[in-house]
Structure formats: structure tokens, C-alpha cells
Amino acid sequence: MNRPLRALLIAAVLASPALGATDVSMAGGDIRFPVPDGWVPIMQSEGEKETQVFQVPGSSAADATLARVSIAVQKVPNLNGFQQFSGNLRSHATALPEYAPGKANSPTENVYTAKEGAVKLDYFERYFYSKGYAIQLRCIRPAGDAKFSAAFDKGCADVAARMPS
């Protein structure tokens, strides 16, 4: 293979937004982002508020059952609508059993723990406003397995970094 063609192919691969990822399209194609290939789609809803949920296989049966990521998208008229969307979801979170706030790194994040059944879960939510849509990325995982938690958190951070804004 000649050198310029090889350089072009390498540049194309490096410019790809997500190698080993599955592209997700929501809101009639207005919102697009990649998720890791290993994430299994388990639910999708359409309507005024569109949601996609992915199960994230883990290192144990408990992780595989409980670890999941959801993306909710809703058309809003303006930034006030976005603030109402995120405020309503944050309010809902505080009503979860044994809710305990964590330390968020930005105003668009919500970090907390809560119980689901008998299991304590870590929640990481991130809010985005793009093309007239309010978007919530919600990552939920059980604590305890450091290796799984690190991989899960990296996947969530990668999706957050690729959300349209």
C-alpha cells in the first residue's frame, strides 16, 4: 500500500468518533451519539419524551442485572424548558429510597446514591441542551466491583463526551 493512502486510512480511523461503538439516533435523527458495543438495548420508547435504556453487562450477575444507562430526550421550547426538565428529574431522584447526594463536578451533573430493592446503587446524571431538546444521560451501577465500576464509568464518560451540545 502506498504511503499517502495508508496515511489517509489511518487518519480516517483516528477521526472516527467511536471505534467499537454503536450509533444511536433519537428525536427523529436530531440527536445522535455512540454507545459501547457491549451495551445491550433493553427498552425504547417514543413520544413526547423519548427514552432508550441499555443494560451494561458486568463482572457478576448482580452487576449484569442492575447496571444500566438511560438516555431521555424531550423537545423543549427554550432554556427555561430545559431547566424545568432537569429540575423535574432531579426532584424525582430525591424521592428515591435512601437518597444521598454526592459531589457533582458541574451544574449539569447530579451524583447520588439510592436504594433499589435491597441494593444500594450509584447514580450519575448529566444534562444537555441541543437543537431544542433537553437530554438526560443517567448511569446506574451497583458499588463494590472496582474493575467493573471503572469500565462502566469510562463508558458513561465517553457517551457524555460525545453527546451533542
Side-chain angles (χ1 to χ4, degrees):
M1 182 181 293
N2 67 32
R3 183 176 235 168
L5 181 56
R6 183 178 14 210
L8 180 63
L9 289 173
I10 290 171
V13 167
L14 294 176
S16 297
L19 292 175
T22 300
D23 288 324
V24 175
S25 174
M26 297 177 75
D30 284 343
I31 306 298
R32 296 177 176 274
F33 53 91
V35 299
D37 275 339
W39 291 10
V40 180
I42 58 173
M43 189 197 89
Q44 179 177 356
S45 70
E46 293 183 5
E48 185 179 320
K49 184 175 174 186
E50 186 174 335
T51 304
Q52 291 205 19
V53 181
F54 299 88
Q55 181 178 5
V56 181
S59 61
S60 71
D63 289 342
T65 301
L66 299 169
R68 62 195 178 279
V69 175
S70 65
I71 299 96
V73 174
Q74 183 174 333
K75 185 81 169 158
V76 294
N78 50 36
L79 280 173
N80 286 337
F82 167 73
Q83 290 171 339
Q84 184 177 9
F85 170 86
S86 61
N88 288 343
L89 291 172
R90 288 172 189 257
S91 214
H92 173 73
T94 62
L96 294 173
E98 297 188 32
Y99 168 86
K103 184 179 181 327
N105 292 319
S106 81
T108 60
E109 290 181 359
N110 190 23
V111 179
Y112 57 97
T113 60
K115 261 192 157 173
E116 186 175 287
V119 180
K120 186 164 250 176
L121 300 172
D122 292 327
Y123 292 77
F124 170 80
E125 298 172 350
R126 185 90 189 265
Y127 295 90
F128 306 88
Y129 180 70
S130 178
K131 300 178 185 176
Y133 290 94
I135 305 166
Q136 178 202 47
L137 169 66
R138 187 179 197 209
C139 302
I140 307 165
R141 66 166 168 76
D145 183 335
K147 185 177 178 183
F148 171 74
S149 294
F152 180 90
D153 293 350
K154 181 185 179 323
C156 285
D158 289 348
V159 172
R162 292 190 173 97
M163 277 290 170
S165 55

